[in-house]
């Protein structure tokens, strides 16, 4: 399992985040999207070493 970290654009520190909390953040940032599908995409991309930005929130491993 990949450790997920998030950071809002106005924050300086990355925060360790659970998948449940990440789903809530995705729903908050992009309410019209499929949150579970978006989280699966984010998890897949961060495993490759990428950082993903969604609205005002960034995700990384």
């Amino acid at each position: 399992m990949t450790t997920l970290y998030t950071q809002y654009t106005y924050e300086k520190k990355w925060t360790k985040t659970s998948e449940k909390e990440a789903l809530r953040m995705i729903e908050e940032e992009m309410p019209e999207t499929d949150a579970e599908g978006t989280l699966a995409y984010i998890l897949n991309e961060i495993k490759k070493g990428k950082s993903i930005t969604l609205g005002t929130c960034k995700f990384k491993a």
Side-chain angles (χ1 to χ4, degrees):
M1 184 174 166
T2 304
T3 303
L4 180 64
Y5 292 91
T6 58
Q7 177 188 49
Y8 284 102
T9 54
Y10 53 82
E11 295 177 326
K12 300 216 182 285
K13 293 175 110 178
W14 288 90
T15 305
K16 188 174 180 181
T17 307
S18 69
E19 288 188 18
K20 183 178 179 181
E21 183 67 13
L23 277 173
R24 184 196 60 76
M25 293 167 85
I26 292 166
E27 289 170 353
E28 194 177 272
E29 291 292 318
M30 305 287 281
E32 70 282 357
T33 63
D34 170 27
E36 289 183 10
T38 303
L39 179 59
Y41 168 78
I42 289 170
L43 291 172
N44 188 45
E45 292 302 305
I46 66 172
K47 284 179 187 173
K48 299 175 187 175
K50 295 182 180 180
S51 179
I52 303 294
T53 302
L54 184 68
T56 61
C57 189
K58 295 189 262 182
F59 299 85
K60 75 173 187 175

Coordinates of all heavy atoms in Angstrom, one line a residue:
M1 N 0.8 -1.2 0.0 CA 0.0 0.0 0.0 C 0.9 1.3 0.0 O 1.9 1.3 0.7 CB -0.9 0.0 1.2 CG -1.9 1.1 1.3 SD -3.0 0.9 2.7 CE -3.6 2.5 2.7
T2 N 0.5 2.2 -0.8 CA 1.3 3.4 -0.9 C 0.8 4.4 0.2 O -0.4 4.6 0.5 CB 1.0 4.1 -2.3 OG1 1.3 3.1 -3.3 CG2 1.8 5.3 -2.5
T3 N 1.8 5.1 0.8 CA 1.5 6.1 1.7 C 1.1 7.4 1.0 O 1.9 7.8 0.1 CB 2.7 6.4 2.7 OG1 3.0 5.1 3.3 CG2 2.3 7.4 3.7
L4 N 0.0 7.9 1.3 CA -0.5 9.1 0.6 C -0.3 10.4 1.4 O -0.6 10.4 2.6 CB -2.0 8.9 0.3 CG -2.8 9.9 -0.4 CD1 -2.3 10.1 -1.9 CD2 -4.3 9.6 -0.5
Y5 N 0.2 11.4 0.7 CA 0.4 12.7 1.4 C -0.4 13.7 0.6 O -0.4 13.7 -0.6 CB 1.9 13.1 1.4 CG 2.7 12.2 2.4 CD1 3.3 11.1 1.9 CD2 2.8 12.5 3.7 CE1 4.0 10.2 2.7 CE2 3.5 11.7 4.6 CZ 4.1 10.6 4.1 OH 4.9 9.8 4.9
T6 N -0.9 14.7 1.3 CA -1.7 15.8 0.6 C -1.2 17.1 1.1 O -0.6 17.3 2.2 CB -3.2 15.7 0.9 OG1 -3.4 15.7 2.3 CG2 -3.8 14.4 0.3
Q7 N -1.4 18.1 0.3 CA -1.0 19.5 0.6 C -2.0 20.5 -0.1 O -2.1 20.4 -1.4 CB 0.4 19.8 0.2 CG 0.9 21.2 0.5 CD 2.3 21.4 -0.1 OE1 2.5 21.1 -1.3 NE2 3.2 22.0 0.7
Y8 N -2.6 21.4 0.6 CA -3.4 22.4 -0.1 C -2.4 23.5 -0.6 O -1.3 23.6 0.0 CB -4.4 23.0 0.9 CG -5.6 22.2 1.1 CD1 -5.8 21.4 2.2 CD2 -6.6 22.1 0.1 CE1 -6.9 20.6 2.4 CE2 -7.8 21.3 0.2 CZ -7.9 20.6 1.4 OH -9.0 19.8 1.5
T9 N -2.7 24.2 -1.6 CA -1.8 25.1 -2.2 C -1.4 26.2 -1.2 O -0.3 26.8 -1.3 CB -2.4 25.8 -3.4 OG1 -3.6 26.3 -3.1 CG2 -2.5 24.8 -4.6
Y10 N -2.2 26.5 -0.2 CA -1.8 27.6 0.8 C -1.0 27.0 2.0 O -0.7 27.8 2.8 CB -3.1 28.3 1.3 CG -4.2 27.4 1.8 CD1 -4.1 26.9 3.1 CD2 -5.2 26.9 1.0 CE1 -5.1 26.0 3.6 CE2 -6.2 26.1 1.5 CZ -6.1 25.6 2.8 OH -7.1 24.8 3.2
E11 N -0.8 25.7 2.0 CA 0.0 25.1 3.1 C 1.4 24.9 2.7 O 1.8 24.8 1.5 CB -0.6 23.7 3.5 CG -2.0 23.8 4.0 CD -2.6 22.5 4.3 OE1 -2.3 21.5 3.6 OE2 -3.4 22.4 5.3
K12 N 2.3 24.8 3.7 CA 3.7 24.6 3.4 C 4.1 23.1 3.6 O 5.1 22.6 3.1 CB 4.6 25.5 4.3 CG 4.3 27.0 4.0 CD 5.6 27.8 4.2 CE 5.3 29.2 4.0 NZ 5.1 29.7 2.6
K13 N 3.4 22.4 4.5 CA 3.7 21.1 4.9 C 2.8 20.0 4.2 O 1.6 20.3 4.0 CB 3.6 20.9 6.4 CG 4.6 21.6 7.2 CD 4.3 21.5 8.7 CE 5.4 20.7 9.3 NZ 5.2 20.5 10.8
W14 N 3.4 18.9 3.9 CA 2.7 17.7 3.4 C 2.1 17.0 4.6 O 2.8 16.8 5.6 CB 3.6 16.8 2.5 CG 3.9 17.4 1.2 CD1 5.0 18.2 0.9 CD2 3.2 17.3 0.0 NE1 5.0 18.6 -0.4 CE2 3.9 18.0 -1.0 CE3 2.0 16.7 -0.4 CZ2 3.5 18.1 -2.3 CZ3 1.6 16.7 -1.7 CH2 2.3 17.5 -2.6
T15 N 0.9 16.5 4.5 CA 0.2 15.8 5.6 C -0.1 14.4 5.1 O -0.6 14.1 4.0 CB -1.1 16.5 5.9 OG1 -0.8 17.9 6.2 CG2 -1.8 15.8 7.1
K16 N 0.3 13.4 6.0 CA -0.1 12.0 5.7 C -1.6 11.9 5.8 O -2.2 12.4 6.7 CB 0.6 11.1 6.8 CG 0.4 9.6 6.5 CD 1.2 8.8 7.5 CE 1.1 7.3 7.2 NZ 1.8 6.5 8.1
T17 N -2.2 11.3 4.8 CA -3.7 11.2 4.6 C -4.1 9.8 4.4 O -3.6 9.1 3.6 CB -4.1 12.2 3.4 OG1 -3.5 13.4 3.6 CG2 -5.5 12.3 3.3
S18 N -5.2 9.5 5.0 CA -5.9 8.2 4.7 C -6.6 8.2 3.4 O -7.0 9.3 2.9 CB -6.8 7.8 5.9 OG -7.9 8.6 5.9
E19 N -6.9 7.0 2.9 CA -7.7 7.0 1.6 C -9.1 7.6 1.8 O -9.7 8.3 1.0 CB -7.8 5.6 1.0 CG -6.4 5.2 0.5 CD -6.5 3.9 -0.3 OE1 -7.6 3.4 -0.7 OE2 -5.4 3.3 -0.5
K20 N -9.7 7.3 3.0 CA -11.0 7.8 3.3 C -11.0 9.4 3.3 O -11.9 10.0 2.8 CB -11.5 7.3 4.7 CG -12.8 7.7 5.1 CD -13.2 7.1 6.4 CE -14.6 7.5 6.9 NZ -15.0 7.0 8.2
E21 N -10.0 10.0 4.0 CA -9.8 11.4 4.0 C -9.6 12.0 2.6 O -10.1 13.0 2.2 CB -8.7 11.8 4.9 CG -8.5 13.3 5.1 CD -9.7 14.0 5.8 OE1 -10.5 13.4 6.4 OE2 -9.7 15.2 5.8
A22 N -8.8 11.2 1.8 CA -8.5 11.7 0.4 C -9.8 11.7 -0.4 O -10.0 12.6 -1.2 CB -7.5 10.8 -0.2
L23 N -10.7 10.7 -0.2 CA -11.9 10.7 -0.9 C -12.8 11.9 -0.6 O -13.4 12.5 -1.4 CB -12.7 9.4 -0.6 CG -12.4 8.1 -1.3 CD1 -13.1 6.9 -0.7 CD2 -12.7 8.3 -2.8
R24 N -12.8 12.3 0.7 CA -13.5 13.4 1.1 C -13.0 14.7 0.5 O -13.7 15.5 0.0 CB -13.5 13.6 2.7 CG -14.3 14.8 3.2 CD -14.0 15.2 4.6 NE -12.6 15.6 4.8 CZ -12.1 16.8 4.4 NH1 -12.9 17.6 3.8 NH2 -10.9 17.1 4.6
M25 N -11.7 14.8 0.4 CA -11.0 15.9 -0.2 C -11.3 16.0 -1.7 O -11.6 17.1 -2.2 CB -9.5 15.9 0.0 CG -9.1 16.0 1.4 SD -7.4 15.6 1.7 CE -6.6 17.1 1.4
I26 N -11.3 14.9 -2.4 CA -11.6 14.8 -3.8 C -13.1 15.3 -4.0 O -13.4 16.1 -4.9 CB -11.4 13.4 -4.4 CG1 -9.9 13.1 -4.4 CG2 -12.0 13.3 -5.8 CD1 -9.6 11.7 -4.6
E27 N -14.0 14.8 -3.2 CA -15.4 15.1 -3.3 C -15.6 16.6 -3.1 O -16.4 17.3 -3.7 CB -16.3 14.3 -2.3 CG -16.4 12.9 -2.7 CD -17.0 12.0 -1.7 OE1 -17.2 12.5 -0.5 OE2 -17.3 10.8 -1.9
E28 N -14.8 17.2 -2.2 CA -14.9 18.6 -1.9 C -14.3 19.5 -3.0 O -14.9 20.5 -3.4 CB -14.0 18.9 -0.6 CG -14.2 20.2 0.0 CD -13.4 20.2 1.3 OE1 -13.9 19.8 2.4 OE2 -12.2 20.7 1.2
E29 N -13.2 19.0 -3.6 CA -12.6 19.8 -4.7 C -13.3 19.6 -6.0 O -13.4 20.6 -6.8 CB -11.1 19.3 -4.9 CG -10.2 19.7 -3.8 CD -10.0 21.2 -3.7 OE1 -9.8 21.8 -4.7 OE2 -10.0 21.7 -2.5
M30 N -13.8 18.4 -6.3 CA -14.4 18.1 -7.6 C -15.7 17.3 -7.4 O -15.7 16.1 -7.7 CB -13.5 17.3 -8.5 CG -12.1 18.0 -8.7 SD -12.1 19.4 -9.8 CE -12.2 18.6 -11.4
P31 N -16.8 18.0 -6.9 CA -18.0 17.2 -6.6 C -18.7 16.5 -7.8 O -19.4 15.6 -7.6 CB -18.9 18.3 -6.0 CG -18.3 19.6 -6.4 CD -16.9 19.4 -6.7
E32 N -18.4 17.0 -9.0 CA -19.1 16.4 -10.1 C -18.4 15.2 -10.7 O -18.9 14.5 -11.6 CB -19.2 17.5 -11.3 CG -17.9 17.9 -11.9 CD -17.0 18.8 -11.1 OE1 -17.4 19.3 -10.0 OE2 -15.9 19.1 -11.6
T33 N -17.2 14.8 -10.1 CA -16.5 13.6 -10.6 C -16.8 12.4 -9.8 O -17.3 12.5 -8.7 CB -15.0 13.9 -10.6 OG1 -14.6 14.1 -9.3 CG2 -14.6 15.1 -11.5
D34 N -16.4 11.2 -10.3 CA -16.4 10.0 -9.5 C -15.2 10.0 -8.6 O -14.1 9.8 -9.1 CB -16.3 8.8 -10.5 CG -16.1 7.5 -9.9 OD1 -16.5 7.3 -8.7 OD2 -15.6 6.6 -10.6
A35 N -15.4 10.2 -7.3 CA -14.3 10.3 -6.4 C -13.5 9.0 -6.3 O -12.3 9.1 -6.2 CB -14.9 10.7 -5.0
E36 N -14.1 7.9 -6.3 CA -13.4 6.6 -6.1 C -12.5 6.4 -7.4 O -11.4 5.9 -7.3 CB -14.3 5.5 -5.9 CG -14.9 5.5 -4.5 CD -15.8 4.3 -4.2 OE1 -15.8 3.4 -5.0 OE2 -16.5 4.4 -3.1
G37 N -13.0 6.7 -8.6 CA -12.3 6.5 -9.8 C -11.1 7.5 -9.8 O -10.0 7.2 -10.3
T38 N -11.4 8.7 -9.4 CA -10.3 9.7 -9.3 C -9.2 9.3 -8.3 O -8.0 9.5 -8.6 CB -10.9 11.1 -8.9 OG1 -11.9 11.4 -9.9 CG2 -9.8 12.2 -8.9
L39 N -9.6 8.8 -7.2 CA -8.6 8.3 -6.2 C -7.8 7.2 -6.8 O -6.6 7.2 -6.6 CB -9.3 7.9 -4.9 CG -8.3 7.4 -3.8 CD1 -7.3 8.5 -3.4 CD2 -9.1 7.0 -2.6
A40 N -8.4 6.3 -7.4 CA -7.7 5.1 -8.1 C -6.7 5.7 -9.1 O -5.5 5.2 -9.1 CB -8.7 4.2 -8.7
Y41 N -7.0 6.7 -9.9 CA -6.1 7.3 -10.8 C -5.0 7.9 -10.1 O -3.8 7.8 -10.4 CB -6.8 8.3 -11.7 CG -5.9 9.2 -12.5 CD1 -5.3 8.7 -13.6 CD2 -5.6 10.5 -12.1 CE1 -4.4 9.5 -14.4 CE2 -4.7 11.2 -12.8 CZ -4.2 10.7 -13.9 OH -3.3 11.5 -14.6
I42 N -5.3 8.7 -9.0 CA -4.2 9.4 -8.3 C -3.2 8.4 -7.7 O -2.0 8.6 -7.8 CB -4.9 10.3 -7.2 CG1 -5.5 11.5 -7.8 CG2 -3.8 10.8 -6.2 CD1 -6.4 12.3 -6.9
L43 N -3.8 7.3 -7.0 CA -2.9 6.3 -6.4 C -2.0 5.7 -7.5 O -0.8 5.4 -7.2 CB -3.7 5.3 -5.7 CG -4.4 5.8 -4.4 CD1 -5.4 4.7 -3.9 CD2 -3.4 6.2 -3.4
N44 N -2.6 5.4 -8.6 CA -1.8 4.8 -9.7 C -0.6 5.7 -10.2 O 0.5 5.3 -10.4 CB -2.7 4.4 -10.9 CG -2.0 3.6 -11.9 OD1 -1.3 2.6 -11.6 ND2 -2.2 3.9 -13.2
E45 N -0.9 7.0 -10.3 CA 0.1 7.9 -10.8 C 1.1 8.2 -9.8 O 2.3 8.4 -10.1 CB -0.6 9.2 -11.3 CG -1.5 9.1 -12.5 CD -0.7 8.5 -13.7 OE1 0.3 9.2 -14.1 OE2 -1.1 7.5 -14.3
I46 N 0.8 8.3 -8.5 CA 1.8 8.6 -7.5 C 2.7 7.5 -7.2 O 3.8 7.6 -6.8 CB 1.2 9.2 -6.1 CG1 0.4 8.1 -5.4 CG2 0.4 10.4 -6.4 CD1 -0.1 8.5 -4.0
K47 N 2.3 6.2 -7.6 CA 3.1 5.1 -7.5 C 4.3 5.2 -8.5 O 5.4 4.6 -8.3 CB 2.4 3.8 -7.7 CG 1.5 3.3 -6.6 CD 0.7 2.1 -6.9 CE -0.2 1.7 -5.8 NZ -1.1 0.6 -6.2
K48 N 4.0 6.0 -9.5 CA 5.1 6.2 -10.6 C 6.0 7.3 -10.2 O 6.8 7.7 -11.0 CB 4.4 6.5 -11.9 CG 3.5 5.4 -12.4 CD 2.8 5.9 -13.7 CE 1.8 4.8 -14.2 NZ 1.0 5.3 -15.3
G49 N 5.8 7.9 -9.0 CA 6.6 9.0 -8.6 C 6.1 10.4 -8.9 O 6.8 11.4 -8.7
K50 N 4.9 10.5 -9.5 CA 4.3 11.7 -9.9 C 3.6 12.4 -8.7 O 3.2 11.8 -7.8 CB 3.3 11.5 -11.0 CG 4.0 11.0 -12.3 CD 3.0 10.9 -13.4 CE 3.7 10.4 -14.7 NZ 2.7 10.3 -15.8
S51 N 3.4 13.7 -8.8 CA 2.6 14.5 -7.9 C 1.4 15.0 -8.7 O 1.5 15.5 -9.8 CB 3.4 15.7 -7.4 OG 2.7 16.5 -6.5
I52 N 0.2 14.8 -8.2 CA -1.0 15.2 -8.9 C -1.7 16.4 -8.2 O -1.8 16.4 -6.9 CB -2.0 14.0 -8.9 CG1 -1.4 12.7 -9.5 CG2 -3.3 14.3 -9.6 CD1 -1.1 12.8 -10.9
T53 N -2.1 17.3 -8.9 CA -2.8 18.5 -8.4 C -4.3 18.4 -8.8 O -4.6 18.2 -10.0 CB -2.2 19.8 -8.9 OG1 -0.9 19.9 -8.6 CG2 -3.0 21.0 -8.3
L54 N -5.2 18.6 -7.9 CA -6.6 18.5 -8.1 C -7.2 19.7 -7.4 O -7.3 19.8 -6.2 CB -7.2 17.2 -7.6 CG -8.7 17.0 -7.8 CD1 -8.9 16.7 -9.3 CD2 -9.2 15.8 -7.0
G55 N -7.6 20.7 -8.2 CA -8.1 22.0 -7.6 C -7.0 22.6 -6.8 O -5.9 22.9 -7.3
T56 N -7.3 22.9 -5.5 CA -6.3 23.5 -4.6 C -5.5 22.5 -3.8 O -4.8 22.8 -2.9 CB -6.9 24.5 -3.7 OG1 -7.9 23.8 -2.9 CG2 -7.6 25.6 -4.5
C57 N -5.6 21.2 -4.1 CA -5.0 20.1 -3.3 C -4.0 19.3 -4.2 O -4.3 19.0 -5.4 CB -6.1 19.2 -2.8 SG -5.5 18.1 -1.6
K58 N -2.9 19.0 -3.6 CA -1.9 18.2 -4.3 C -1.7 16.9 -3.6 O -1.8 16.8 -2.3 CB -0.5 18.9 -4.3 CG -0.5 20.2 -5.1 CD 0.9 20.7 -5.3 CE 1.1 21.8 -4.3 NZ 2.4 22.5 -4.4
F59 N -1.4 15.8 -4.3 CA -1.3 14.5 -3.8 C 0.1 13.9 -4.2 O 0.5 14.2 -5.4 CB -2.4 13.6 -4.4 CG -3.8 14.0 -4.0 CD1 -4.5 14.9 -4.8 CD2 -4.4 13.4 -2.9 CE1 -5.8 15.3 -4.4 CE2 -5.7 13.7 -2.6 CZ -6.4 14.7 -3.3
K60 N 0.8 13.2 -3.3 CA 2.0 12.6 -3.7 C 2.2 11.4 -2.8 O 1.5 11.2 -1.8 CB 3.2 13.5 -3.6 CG 3.7 13.8 -2.2 CD 5.0 14.6 -2.2 CE 5.5 14.8 -0.7 NZ 6.8 15.4 -0.7
A61 N 3.2 10.5 -3.2 CA 3.5 9.3 -2.3 C 4.5 9.7 -1.3 O 5.3 10.5 -1.5 CB 4.0 8.2 -3.2

